[in-house]
Amino acid sequence: MHQRRSDNGFAALSFPCKLYAMLEDAESRGFDHVINWQQGGKSFKVYQPEYFANHVMQDYFAQTKFKSFQRQLNIYGWKKVHHGVNKGGYVHKF
């Protein structure tokens, strides 16, 4: 379905840079039904965590477990949205 992200130097990028690249790639690479920006573009949501961990995440990150991805989000200041239209997504103050 989609190919591994193999741009020169991609592996050396920080987690936030890889996250942004993945979210920007989602529609064009055909996995926007799995993870995508939410309404308003200030948060994103993982719609299919198991599929994401098994088929998408490994193309962008060294992690292979969804819990590891969530830990990285927490480390970099992403917060889970608990109310409103974007409930279940992740938002960052910047």
Side-chain angles (χ1 to χ4, degrees):
M1 179 167 104
H2 52 90
Q3 298 175 342
R4 184 172 289 274
R5 181 74 179 220
S6 59
D7 302 271
N8 289 339
F10 188 78
L13 293 177
S14 67
F15 178 85
C17 291
K18 291 178 184 181
L19 176 62
Y20 181 78
M22 179 185 60
L23 288 164
E24 289 296 297
D25 287 351
E27 186 175 350
S28 66
R29 296 186 70 199
F31 57 84
D32 54 328
H33 64 287
V34 177
I35 184 170
N36 208 354
W37 291 111
Q38 290 184 287
Q39 183 178 3
K42 294 187 185 235
S43 62
F44 73 90
K45 185 172 184 178
V46 181
Y47 297 98
Q48 297 178 28
E50 188 174 328
Y51 186 92
F52 172 70
N54 293 327
H55 300 284
V56 178
M57 192 170 71
Q58 64 211 23
D59 293 347
Y60 291 86
F61 307 102
Q63 297 104 348
T64 58
K65 296 182 180 170
F66 188 68
K67 288 282 185 194
S68 297
F69 175 75
Q70 288 177 308
R71 249 188 302 316
Q72 286 290 307
L73 290 174
N74 289 332
I75 288 168
Y76 282 97
W78 288 87
K79 303 292 182 197
K80 187 101 171 183
V81 178
H82 295 287
H83 300 82
V85 182
N86 294 329
K87 183 178 179 181
Y90 294 90
V91 66
H92 196 281
K93 63 182 177 181
F94 298 118

